Amino acid sequence: MNPNLALEIAVQDPAGVRIAAEVGAARVELATALALGGLTPSPATLELAVEAAGADGPEVHVLIRPRAGGFHYDEDELAVAERDVRRAIAGGAAGVVIGALDDAGRLDLFAMARLRDAAGGAPATLHRAIDVTADPVATLQSARELGLSRVLTSGGASAAIDGIDTLRALVAAAEGEIEIMAGSGVDVTSAPVLAAAGVDAIHFSAKRAVTEDGGVRMGSASDGVGGYEVTDRDIAFAIRDALAR
């Protein structure tokens, strides 16, 4: 296990940032719509998240994703993402989380360089777009050559624990030059196993569903009556404690 293992929690609001601070997380990935895989949060959400983190809390890294679905973006979508990167850094984010693929499903080096440069030297993380490429290890090398700080990956599987062999290969290929952060489906059982694979960080959401109808789901989110998700303090502490053991 990496003795300097870092924790990152995916959150959607200032309350999630405060929970991350309580458990000693190094970073949060701030997003909205985690049920859709995460989208770029609003400027006000970022402002309040930075305030909640304060000077001694977790770093706030902003997910830059202009829409749900795949990661091949047209010019308009890239323009939105580029401006969102600039505004996130100007708004106090410590870094950004980005990803773009070309029409062949490979890392889009031009788009990635454009988003990286928009961050003005702030750390950039490649998100799980790496997991839908044909060769995550080769994609890692491209991310390394781009000067990205880390990759968030499940090892190409739906859940990180199922991609652990690839995660081990990524750790070896990184050679300490780029951080490997394991994420997706991380819970109290899988977190210690993933940590033992030698990754640099563990990423988890510790989320639970909330409904406003007495627990009975009626309709859908598009109707304005569906449930929503929040960061659960007990789950976050349970994962942290499982790693500490």
Side-chain angles (χ1 to χ4, degrees):
M1 183 181 298
N2 187 331
N4 299 314
L5 183 75
L7 301 185
E8 178 178 288
I9 304 182
V11 304
Q12 302 180 96
D13 51 36
V17 176
R18 288 189 285 270
I19 291 171
E22 284 189 74
V23 302
R27 296 181 298 274
V28 297
E29 180 191 75
L30 183 67
T32 191
L34 285 180
L36 298 177
L39 299 174
T40 306
S42 72
T45 301
L46 172 59
E47 181 180 359
L48 290 170
V50 170
E51 290 176 9
D56 301 320
E59 293 183 353
V60 177
H61 291 241
V62 174
L63 175 65
I64 304 298
R65 189 175 177 217
R67 58 158 170 77
F71 305 110
H72 178 49
Y73 300 119
D74 63 24
E75 175 56 32
D76 287 337
E77 291 165 335
L78 280 173
V80 169
E82 182 179 12
R83 294 195 185 192
D84 279 337
V85 169
R86 297 184 190 280
R87 293 191 178 196
I89 299 302
V96 292
V97 184
I98 57 176
L101 304 181
D102 63 22
D103 56 6
R106 298 176 298 243
L107 198 64
D108 187 330
L109 301 180
F110 172 79
M112 291 296 295
R114 179 174 169 181
L115 298 178
R116 175 206 62 197
D117 292 348
T125 299
L126 170 60
H127 59 48
R128 290 190 58 220
I130 187 175
D131 292 321
V132 295
T133 61
D135 187 343
V137 175
T139 304
L140 172 70
Q141 182 59 30
S142 295
R144 184 175 167 181
E145 291 170 358
L146 283 164
L148 305 187
S149 297
R150 67 186 59 87
V151 297
L152 168 61
T153 174
S154 63
S158 294
I161 193 64
D162 297 323
I164 194 163
D165 289 339
T166 301
L167 285 168
R168 292 191 184 104
L170 290 166
V171 169
E175 298 180 317
E177 296 295 324
I178 183 171
E179 295 179 18
I180 305 300
M181 180 163 56
S184 185
V186 175
D187 57 19
V188 294
T189 301
S190 62
V193 181
L194 293 167
V199 297
D200 299 287
I202 298 290
H203 169 103
F204 57 94
S205 60
K207 63 182 182 291
R208 63 178 169 85
V210 175
T211 58
E212 297 179 338
D213 49 24
V216 178
R217 292 183 180 274
M218 301 175 62
S220 67
S222 61
D223 301 322
V225 294
Y228 59 97
E229 294 174 331
V230 298
T231 308
D232 186 281
R233 184 178 183 275
D234 291 342
I235 296 174
F237 268 91
I239 293 174
R240 185 205 66 176
D241 292 346
L243 287 164
R245 290 194 295 270

